[in-house]
Amino acid sequence: MTCCASLSHRNKVATKDLQSLWLDILSVIASKVPRGQFITWFKDTAILGHEGGKLVIGLPLPVSLGWHMEHYSSLTREVAQGVDPDIQQVVYTVDTGLRDNPTRTVDLLKHFPEQKRRKLPNKQEVRLAEGLVSKILNPRYMLENFIVGSDNRLAYAACQSVSLHPGGRYNPLFLYGGVGLGKTHLLQATGNALLKLIPGATVVYVTSEDFTNQVIEAIQRQKMEQFRRRYRVVDVLIIDDVQFLANKERTQEEFFHTFNALYEERKQIILSADRPPQELQMEDRLTSRFEKGMIADIGPPDYETRLAILVEKAQEYELFIDRIVLEFIAEHAKKNVRELEGILMQVVAQYELEQRVPTVKSMAEIMCKLSKDPYAKDDVIGFSVQPKRMATFQDVMEAISRYYSVSVQDMIGASRVREILLPRQIAMYFLKKYLRISYANIGERFSGRDHTTVMNSFGKIEKMLHNDPQLLREVRALEKELDFV
Ligand code: ADP
Ligand code: MG
């Protein structure tokens, strides 16, 4: 009795010692590993044993084992030795009981709180001269972290050239392309690069709305002359989204004067819009000015570029994401780069809030959720993920069973009566067409039928759909119900 009590007491003390030893070690590791990764991989870990120079580290999940062995074992050993020179060896064991067991693990969120993130300054303004304001350029936008693909190569090359030779051949530089394709990134990156090239240069970045508001204010205060003079000291003028100047004659006129004055002095002007100059619905004299220099369009990124962007952004956000998961996102989020970023932000949230390592399945859930979000504006987040990915074998079978009032069992079974044959063939057709299950696999699920049987059923339904309007209606109704179309 006494023995056991004192043993359990000793154990408690030992656990506490091990906890504080682990905290010491983790404190050093935390300074060497990006926080996102640190929290993800070291949460719910503990030292389970420390004897004879051997440190036994418990991990909460089987997936952590590979990661630790590959990425953290030597770091952990080195750090552990630094903390306690007796430690010779670090070994790992998986103990799922560690999850949510704060008495044995270290509370990482408490001991390693997140440093308050710097607010992105891109909304803030900076005063450059009397009355002259610019949005602060976002330092995150750099030419170096812009991923170049075949659809933005020209725009990128033009920006790079301007960043080295402002006021040269590519003046003005006019970039156009759809939303979320990197126009603002390139404009600001070029501004950042120019500031580096010519420290002290007056680089003004404004949106066309800002510019319009300034014109309106100047008109109201009858300070038009002052307004004009203000812009004459600018070395580089960057105006984003000039399409909003359409139908604003007075602003266009002022812009025309500013443009000419700067252009004559060989000051660099960079513009962006969502369409080419001739489609802008602006005064011809202005659009013809825009066409004088270099015009480059940006198109939606292709698969390879999307994947490269994801890899880059994942690194920026310090996320370890399995390549298969990134490939899955790149395959499905096709519309623009902002969409890709939106999904990654969800991954960050999942990482940080739930400590969930992203998988293809969880990504599919996230993307499906976002695509169905009624508040997700289509022009900003246009998830093209197909809900059909989400329907399961069971969903298909049950929907067809309900529709034709036949049982799932009968469809799977051997009966060859027509009432069952047709629903069975439709099921096979859907499973192949929308769930992309292989013929062989479908055959197996239908009482081990041969894959050629499934193939024939698929072909038969496909053919019938061309000349059987009744069947076509039924299939369409089912497709709708299953969210396939
Ligand atoms: P736009 O101004 O064309 O609507 P943005 O420049 O705001 O688009 O781009 C949206 C987001 O996508 C930004 O965070 C930007 O950094 C990112 N982005 C776009 N294209 C690329 C690219 N090629 N490489 C890296 N990031 C990109
Ligand atoms: Mg933009």
Side-chain angles (χ1 to χ4, degrees):
M1 193 65 198
T2 338
C3 143
C4 289
S6 75
L7 188 65
S8 101
H9 175 69
R10 264 204 3 239
N11 271 345
K12 258 187 206 151
V13 173
T15 305
K16 211 156 183 327
D17 286 349
L18 293 180
Q19 248 181 339
S20 75
L21 172 63
W22 192 219
L23 180 57
D24 289 345
I25 295 171
L26 287 177
S27 304
V28 183
I29 293 178
S31 67
K32 295 180 187 284
V33 175
R35 186 172 184 277
Q37 295 167 21
F38 175 71
I39 300 287
T40 304
W41 297 109
F42 286 87
K43 184 168 182 276
D44 296 336
T45 58
I47 295 178
L48 299 182
H50 176 204
E51 222 174 328
K54 189 157 98 178
L55 200 63
V56 183
I57 295 175
L59 304 173
L61 295 168
V63 291
S64 317
L65 195 58
W67 271 110
H68 273 268
M69 303 282 264
E70 198 174 321
H71 299 283
Y72 302 124
S73 59
S74 43
L75 172 68
T76 307
R77 197 190 55 242
E78 276 165 33
V79 173
Q81 273 171 343
V83 173
D84 179 350
D86 285 346
I87 297 170
Q88 298 300 323
Q89 195 192 358
V90 168
V91 297
Y92 293 97
T93 180
V94 174
D95 179 349
T96 50
L98 285 171
R99 294 182 81 177
D100 311 315
N101 188 344
T103 54
R104 297 163 75 195
T105 56
V106 172
D107 184 349
L108 296 191
L109 299 178
K110 182 179 124 203
H111 289 285
F112 305 96
E114 189 177 13
Q115 305 293 326
K116 276 269 164 282
R117 279 200 194 168
R118 217 158 31 91
K119 257 176 84 193
L120 286 183
N122 60 342
K123 291 263 182 287
Q124 294 171 10
E125 293 184 337
V126 59
R127 239 176 109 102
L128 294 173
E130 184 56 40
L132 185 65
V133 291
S134 164
K135 285 226 159 71
I136 292 181
L137 296 172
N138 185 341
R140 239 192 50 189
Y141 293 145
M142 295 182 289
L143 289 174
E144 291 78 11
N145 67 5
F146 188 80
I147 303 293
V148 184
S150 51
D151 307 283
N152 57 26
R153 192 179 306 283
L154 183 65
Y156 172 79
C159 288
Q160 209 179 24
S161 172
V162 164
S163 75
L164 298 170
H165 310 288
R169 260 195 314 148
Y170 295 162
N171 197 24
L173 170 61
F174 187 100
L175 302 186
Y176 75 89
V179 71
L181 296 181
K183 299 183 298 297
T184 297
H185 185 131
L186 277 177
L187 257 52
Q188 295 216 2
T190 311
N192 276 323
L194 282 169
L195 273 176
K196 218 180 264 172
L197 182 78
I198 322 167
T202 307
V203 176
V204 172
Y205 168 92
V206 285
T207 62
S208 61
E209 283 118 320
D210 295 337
F211 191 81
T212 307
N213 290 338
Q214 290 173 21
V215 171
I216 293 171
E217 201 184 304
I219 295 171
Q220 281 169 347
R221 298 190 178 188
Q222 303 187 326
K223 291 199 166 149
M224 221 50 235
E225 260 319 299
Q226 208 178 25
F227 172 86
R228 284 180 196 153
R229 251 183 289 123
R230 227 182 263 162
Y231 270 90
R232 302 302 184 257
V233 302
V234 169
D235 296 312
V236 178
L237 177 62
I238 306 174
I239 304 201
D240 210 350
D241 290 321
V242 291
Q243 70 272 11
F244 294 119
L245 295 184
N247 305 321
K248 300 194 174 108
E249 287 82 17
R250 186 64 207 271
T251 309
Q252 283 181 37
E253 191 187 330
E254 282 314 316
F255 184 42
F256 180 73
H257 293 309
T258 302
F259 186 103
N260 284 341
L262 294 178
Y263 184 78
E264 268 159 33
E265 288 193 40
R266 306 182 61 120
K267 302 291 180 62
Q268 180 69 45
I269 299 162
I270 313 176
L271 309 156
S272 86
D274 64 354
R275 64 201 81 176
Q278 63 274 19
E279 290 175 22
L280 279 173
Q281 298 169 321
M282 283 191 206
E283 288 178 32
D284 286 346
R285 59 177 184 166
L286 199 50
T287 52
S288 67
R289 291 286 191 288
F290 293 167
E291 288 170 346
K292 265 182 159 173
M294 169 75 181
I295 298 180
D297 67 327
I298 307 184
D302 56 18
Y303 172 77
E304 285 76 16
T305 314
R306 294 199 297 273
L307 187 58
I309 290 173
L310 282 169
V311 171
E312 160 80 26
K313 300 276 169 186
Q315 273 172 6
E316 246 176 63
Y317 293 122
E318 299 172 348
L319 298 168
F320 274 133
I321 304 183
D322 202 290
R323 184 148 179 116
I324 296 177
V325 175
L326 293 181
E327 284 171 3
F328 178 82
I329 302 174
E331 231 171 79
H332 292 282
K334 295 188 177 145
K335 201 166 172 190
N336 61 43
V337 182
R338 206 167 288 161
E339 172 186 19
L340 291 177
E341 285 199 325
I343 297 171
L344 271 180
M345 292 321 292
Q346 295 285 322
V347 179
V348 176
Q350 203 175 60
Y351 248 41
E352 293 190 346
L353 296 175
E354 302 169 29
Q355 309 296 308
R356 270 174 77 187
V357 178
T359 59
V360 167
K361 187 163 175 282
S362 67
M363 286 324 305
E365 280 165 16
I366 286 179
M367 289 161 79
C368 197
K369 203 168 77 198
L370 288 169
S371 74
K372 290 194 168 153
D373 179 356
Y375 300 106
K377 277 210 319 226
D378 189 49
D379 60 341
V380 178
I381 308 175
F383 294 91
S384 33
V385 61
Q386 309 278 323
K388 64 188 158 211
R389 289 234 153 225
M390 303 304 293
T392 62
F393 176 81
Q394 204 56 30
D395 295 336
V396 171
M397 298 305 284
E398 281 169 9
I400 296 179
S401 149
R402 273 195 308 273
Y403 193 83
Y404 288 108
S405 305
V406 295
S407 75
V408 172
Q409 267 325 313
D410 282 346
M411 276 197 283
I412 289 173
S415 167
R416 295 199 50 84
V417 296
R418 192 187 137 79
E419 288 71 34
I420 293 175
L421 201 58
L422 188 72
R424 181 186 297 141
Q425 288 169 337
I426 294 175
M428 290 176 171
Y429 171 81
F430 280 169
L431 293 171
K432 177 70 202 163
K433 181 164 181 193
Y434 295 113
L435 271 65
R436 297 183 192 278
I437 303 178
S438 71
Y439 290 126
N441 187 340
I442 297 173
E444 268 165 40
R445 291 166 188 248
F446 284 77
S447 312
R449 285 176 166 82
D450 192 67
H451 78 279
T452 50
T453 311
V454 185
M455 235 158 87
N456 290 339
S457 302
F458 184 87
K460 194 169 155 217
I461 296 291
E462 232 184 5
K463 209 153 139 207
M464 279 169 75
L465 287 174
H466 283 110
N467 39 35
D468 184 339
Q470 176 58 27
L471 179 72
L472 185 65
R473 265 195 298 279
E474 293 169 11
V475 166
R476 288 282 176 273
L478 278 164
E479 283 173 337
K480 224 182 194 135
E481 177 168 342
L482 281 160
D483 250 2
F484 287 150
V485 285

